[in-house]
């Protein structure tokens, strides 16, 4: 970090900062300019977060500027080669484009089975569906719980599709992990640290959605929770951020995709269903995410969006999902990606 | 809700909407205009959230506009008179201005005791301090846990101050409730629904902070989780929202205070420490919150902010806190409020 | 619009609203529900903006909900077929992908000439470059003025490229129009209504950038200023919006592209240089914009970005621009678009 | 500024940065750490904005961090004592609380005269009212123009109130300055640089509203345009910023008031009418602004808000304005301010 002293800072104040830095075991470097003095503090400041705040409050200090990134295990500097996650026969992050599709919420065996067969036929390899559902209002549908997980497992058995499903509370991690191939952490839980700690102890892949008002840096720090517990099978998911625009439910931040590719070695998935909140924007944004570098897509599909218990407005019906998959193949090819091959039943 | 049909919607499409609404047990009212038809659906739509999404997807429908507010138990319409929460001899929401002050994090018995005595002497009635601390990075200080709660309890015993402290996970609710007089739900957990359910079952007061990108409506819906579990001793806390401005840590939304007063019967507390992130902005924003109608303040105070393990930049030292309290008394009087009388030891 | 009455609104209040609506020459439709009454006001309310605000203030009124869109000439409802703008031999909005490239600011004849030749060779058809430059600080470079326009005209003469350049003030419209093939309105001037009126009187194409915190609706209303003055040769340009994220200069709202395509008949151009502020994000976002439906791109290119007087951090050098064009051709083909053929000299 | 080199930057890259800095006439200071090298560039970098961007693009450079503030004439460092603006017998910025009140738009002589008399009787000293009105839609009311200015002048003559009114275009500056005592620059024009240049040449006070998505720094840089043209009679006005919250029209950033007081010597006015967009939030936010340090208020008042041609929803009627003034006197006294004495007729 760089400590910028005020113009009128005296020698005593400069010496106090130098002493505080040395007390923390770091080495200060002074640069004395005509107008002011700056003090460089090089080394592993990331592990001494308190130092920065302490120095910021010291007399004579104008500003403290961090220079190292606060995340480590998730950074490209730490690991040059891309993380490739294997889920059964599918690889995520290694050049294949993986499509995860299915209903927002598991409503019934019939609904899940029909959707699973349709998305498999259209080329998806992973089935999504929520058994535990976050809901802004307590009066809305909150999911079928373990019953829903069983329905998903049945669909897996019948279709060969792999399963991704959300876990919302630390005490549900065990049961969800028993059924799911990938555990999803939703946007509202990106900073649910107990939950992150818990999935960090698993040996199963985790998908971490970006918080709806999280910066890229905060998102990577949340990833750090999972990674530092030992679980390196982590992928990230851009799902739109909150802005002033009200036309869409969120503003899909497509730039986050190449940013994650640059800053991190973790795979990045795009969720244009939540990213836009409108079914007729899903396909253009899905294509945009792919050419921007996404390793996979998370798409809401429902047999009858009008009757959906949740998020019907952003779900594709089977026909629209097939149309998306057709366009996807051509667009992926144009950027050297290949849609993951269908799984055997 | 109001269903606005497209200009070119045909009779068949209108009939389908009417049928769908009736199927949900509601009564549709048609208005046929020169340009288009609208269908009013009156009654308790809040309990039928699915209906809205379903109708939105139907052919011929241009837009669906909700008209009832989705929150109930927290609304002024549901309860006209203000909720007054009693914590020992202190009342919150009944005209007394309650000041909750103390360190961001419990660091040591010495630090807590010194702060408790100082804030009590200056006129605070409730001691704040975190034993379980949310932290953006896993490498930062995450709190002393139950050890910290014991230190807080000791400070209560010695000073007579009441205690507010944060709970971050459902499985900590029991232990935190054993020590705290008020349980605090932090901004990152405003939509941690398992946690809300859990504190909703308590018989103790809860303070629910606004999520950093939550609308007032989403905040009241989160309140609804707690209230609908049976716990009516709930107060809200404005602590700044996330905007494009980088000068402050958050943008303190002072207007949320009179809005909550208008829309809800729940008490509203202001936290200008997190709301600004800068200690020299805390006092002006605290005064602003009070004249705008706040029932109390949550203020970070530290014996030596430069040495704080967390949030030193936004903490007042003892001297600055005394100065705030002195100004507060005058300003509160100007709007007919009175700072709560100091508690006996 | 829909007038939603309060639950306790009396007959007198309802009658007053009815009377006020009729006074404005509109026909009210009453729907009486168990809980409350709503009054539909159908017809061309867009031309009676005052009525809405007036009714909102009337006693007994809970809410007024607009149902018609406030923009007209720019809407798809008004004009089904896409607007195609002809600039010399180039068409914009008709299926060709048009690339506009060049330096942020005109600095010298040498710089412009070198860039013009390089972007032409790589496949651009329109040269961009600012002679009048908006600058956040008065101490920064503000452009060469008419001298810069002359340099651009010289580059057009030598290369055959067409010209787009920004106009910032009503009294500059005449001189800029004398040199430019397309006049650009920048993000800070999206609501500079005198300027919009002025370019609306021209017979030349205009590109209107989205304001950095403008909703899609406000943007289309700004377009309405130009269109209603008689100039229908208008194209829009998405250039990133202001959000809480600080990694990028702006957040490029890719979803705005399909939204404009749906709501409006006007062509839509994407500017990933300003949209991201970082040169290494320009190519992925340019590709994303194209598959999402953009009719063209606006790209900053500089012979030596390190020496640029403005926006060097987001400019491509010649080599990177060539690489972008190569990828663009493949990606455009995948969505059925074709990069516009190079112009003869 | 501080140049942070990458970890793997070589000696050649470091030498190149040093050379580039020296070429710009600045003196570089090297600090070599274990992990990386940083280069301090001290001196007046604000006048060399290009240097920063150039260095950012150089090989081996990880980041460039500015350390001086880019604004000068508006800063407290440049001028310690507060700027006091004299408008007739009224002073702004010197401890008196100045209330500017009146209709959003001048509609008729009758409306202005009634309002002028009412606000004067209630204690305002300056009459506000727009003759040139910005309007999001071209189909809305855009003001009476010079006719409106004449009505305002008449009201001044009859009541003794001073006048503030908006100017929207450079070619209107002359006519507006002929009638107004203070010229107002609206939020949409905060970065209309031609307009800022023009009012910078006047010898009359100017009020500069914050852009709706402008940071404090950008706002002060806009102020710099006016000041650097020679007009030092400048005051700023906080009027709410654009956020994700839709309950209010804008989010009033009360913290901007003490921030401006700290960073600048210019007076700061608060506009809670636009800041909230709802008349029943105006009074609490006005009081909040005053205790946070505002030098004055800008309040919309209308004889009959229901009939207002513009912004009726946020206007106070006479009775509510009187109530505000009564509360204001008490609250201002509590923070040592005094409402400016009424002017003689």
């Amino acid at each position: 970090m760089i400590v910028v002293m005020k113009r009128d800072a005296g020698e005593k104040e400069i010496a106090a900062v130098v002493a505080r830095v040395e007390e923390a075991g770091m080495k200060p470097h002074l640069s004395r300019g005509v107008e002011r003095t700056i003090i460089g503090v090089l080394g592993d400041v990331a592990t001494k977060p308190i130092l920065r705040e302490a120095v910021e409050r010291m007399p004579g200090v104008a500003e403290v500027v961090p220079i190292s990134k606060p995340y480590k295990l998730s950074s490209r500097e730490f690991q040059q080669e891309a993380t490739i996650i294997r889920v059964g026969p599918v690889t995520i992050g290694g050049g294949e484009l993986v499509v995860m599709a299915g209903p927002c919420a598991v409503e019934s065996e019939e609904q899940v089975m029909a959707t699973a067969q349709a998305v498999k036929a259209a080329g998806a390899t992973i089935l999504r569906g929520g058994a535990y559902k976050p809901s802004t209002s307590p009066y809305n549908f909150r999911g079928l719980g373990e019953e829903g997980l069983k329905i998903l497992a049945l669909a897996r058995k019948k279709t060969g599709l792999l399963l991704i499903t959300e876990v919302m509370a630390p005490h549900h991690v065990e049961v969800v992990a028993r059924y799911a191939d990938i555990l999803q952490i939703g946007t509202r839980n990106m900073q649910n640290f107990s939950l992150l700690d818990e999935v960090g102890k698993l040996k199963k892949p985790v998908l971490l959605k970006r918080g709806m008002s999280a910066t890229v840096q905060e998102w990577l720090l949340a990833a750090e929770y999972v990674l530092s517990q030992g679980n390196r099978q982590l992928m990230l998911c851009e799902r739109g951020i909150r802005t002033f625009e009200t036309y869409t439910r969120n503003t899909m931040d497509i730039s986050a995709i190449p940013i994650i590719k640059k800053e991190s070695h973790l795979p990045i998935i795009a969720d244009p269903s939540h990213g836009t909140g409108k079914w007729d924007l899903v396909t253009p944004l899905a294509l945009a995410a792919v050419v921007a570098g996404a390793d996979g897509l998370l798409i809401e599909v429902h047999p009858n969006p009008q009757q959906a218990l949740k998020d019907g407005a952003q779900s594709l019906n089977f026909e629209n999902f097939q149309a998306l998959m057709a366009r996807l193949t051509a667009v992926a090819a144009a950027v050297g990606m290949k849609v993951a091959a269908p799984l055997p039943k």
Side-chain angles (χ1 to χ4, degrees), chain A residues 92 100 207 235-238 267-271 294-298:
Chain A
I92 304 175
M100 313 177 184
L207 177 146
M235 66 196 93
L236 302 172
C237 177
E238 162 65 29
I268 172 82
I269 308 299
D271 174 355
D295 296 298
L297 295 172
L298 193 59

Side-chain angles (χ1 to χ4, degrees), chain A residues 68-333:
Chain A
S68 338
K69 286 163 188 165
Y71 45 89
K72 305 197 143 188
L73 304 176
S74 60
S75 75
R76 274 273 179 204
E77 299 194 350
F78 176 80
Q79 181 186 314
Q80 283 290 327
E81 65 281 10
T83 286
I84 298 177
I85 296 173
R86 276 165 226 289
V87 200
V90 176
T91 61
I92 304 175
E96 281 192 313
L97 184 70
V98 179
V99 179
M100 313 177 184
C104 181
V106 172
E107 297 168 19
S108 69
E109 189 181 319
E110 188 191 0
Q111 167 234 26
V112 170
M113 217 55 80
T115 309
Q117 275 150 359
V119 301
K120 181 164 187 196
T125 44
I126 300 180
L127 178 66
R128 63 150 291 156
Y132 298 91
K133 296 301 309 171
S135 163
T136 303
S137 162
Y139 310 122
N140 288 10
F141 181 56
R142 294 175 69 181
L144 297 180
E146 190 170 356
E147 201 48 50
L149 296 174
K150 286 181 185 165
I151 293 174
L152 289 170
L154 194 64
R156 171 172 50 194
K157 202 172 159 191
K158 292 230 177 145
T159 60
L161 289 168
L162 298 161
L163 293 186
I164 180 168
T165 195
E166 179 164 356
V167 58
M168 285 176 61
H171 58 280
H172 289 151
V173 168
E174 189 273 329
V175 65
V176 174
R178 223 183 311 135
Y179 293 91
D181 297 298
I182 307 174
L183 285 87
Q184 173 181 320
I185 306 286
T187 188
R188 290 172 186 79
N189 284 314
M190 191 199 84
Q191 293 191 319
N192 183 335
F193 302 121
S194 311
L195 182 59
L196 298 180
D197 283 345
E198 217 53 48
V199 298
K201 292 172 196 154
L202 292 180
K203 305 245 170 290
K204 283 213 163 174
V206 171
L207 177 146
L208 177 63
K209 287 197 165 185
R210 182 180 187 178
M212 68 182 78
S213 67
T215 62
V216 167
Q217 182 169 303
E218 290 165 341
W219 190 13
L220 289 173
L221 282 166
E224 214 72 13
Y225 271 84
V226 179
L227 298 170
S228 65
Q229 290 288 347
N231 189 348
R232 302 295 169 98
Q233 295 182 278
L234 181 63
M235 66 196 93
L236 302 172
C237 177
E238 162 65 29
R239 48 77 69 206
I241 56 172
R242 182 151 278 193
T243 70
F244 62 82
E245 177 61 76
T246 53
Y247 190 99
T248 44
R249 184 170 169 181
N250 294 286
T251 297
M252 183 90 181
D253 181 6
I254 293 289
S255 70
I257 296 167
I259 292 171
I260 289 295
K261 281 285 168 210
K262 181 181 165 192
E263 296 293 330
S264 178
H265 50 84
L266 299 172
I268 172 82
I269 308 299
D271 174 355
S273 304
H274 287 90
T276 63
K278 300 209 161 172
W279 72 270
D280 53 0
L281 298 174
V282 169
T283 293
L285 273 291
L287 301 179
V290 168
V291 298
D295 296 298
L297 295 172
L298 193 59
I299 306 281
E300 291 195 359
V301 179
H302 195 279
N304 186 356
Q306 284 173 227
Q307 298 290 342
L309 290 181
K310 225 180 134 44
D311 289 345
Q314 71 196 31
S315 296
L316 297 184
N317 61 23
F318 297 164
E319 192 184 337
N320 290 328
F321 180 66
Q322 283 158 16
L324 162 60
M325 291 302 290
R327 296 193 63 190
L328 202 58
T329 308
V331 166

